Amino acid sequence: MALYNALAEAVRQGKQVQVENGALDASGLLVITTDFATIDSVQATVEKATAPTTSQLTFSVSGSTVTIRGWKATATADTALIASDALEDVSVVIVGRRRN
């Protein structure tokens, strides 16, 4: 029953889901443009069957554009994060609200 209520509430509030995938560029960025008026949440994961070079993903939102940033450790002995230069595939799920 809880799932039904959650779906009904999503419809009432005008929420939609956008699913994307793409590759991080050489500077560790993936930019996604949406048609949403507001963005409620973003989930992203590296698509790889083996250990990825990119160890952390973060995101930022500017208007209706989501920017995913990939990060990796500087070196084995230095775990400070720097921008990933791995051209790894990323799956992204964005939940937002429609424009009226």
Side-chain angles (χ1 to χ4, degrees):
M1 191 64 153
L3 180 58
Y4 174 77
N5 290 339
L7 292 174
E9 188 65 12
V11 170
R12 185 185 70 76
Q13 292 181 11
K15 291 186 180 182
Q16 291 184 329
V17 175
Q18 180 173 334
V19 178
E20 298 283 340
N21 68 338
L24 296 172
D25 64 16
S27 60
L29 297 177
L30 172 61
V31 178
I32 300 169
T33 303
T34 74
D35 290 328
F36 296 142
T38 59
I39 294 173
D40 295 331
S41 68
V42 177
Q43 297 82 34
T45 188
V46 175
E47 297 175 17
K48 198 155 186 175
T50 59
T53 300
T54 303
S55 60
Q56 180 77 25
L57 295 172
T58 60
F59 73 91
S60 61
V61 176
S62 177
S64 60
T65 301
V66 175
T67 301
I68 306 293
R69 288 180 170 78
W71 304 93
K72 67 177 186 175
T74 303
T76 303
D78 183 357
T79 58
L81 295 177
I82 59 171
S84 178
D85 58 358
L87 307 177
E88 294 174 311
D89 291 331
V90 176
S91 290
V92 182
V93 178
I94 303 167
V95 178
R97 296 172 193 244
R98 297 187 292 267
R99 297 186 185 278
N100 291 333

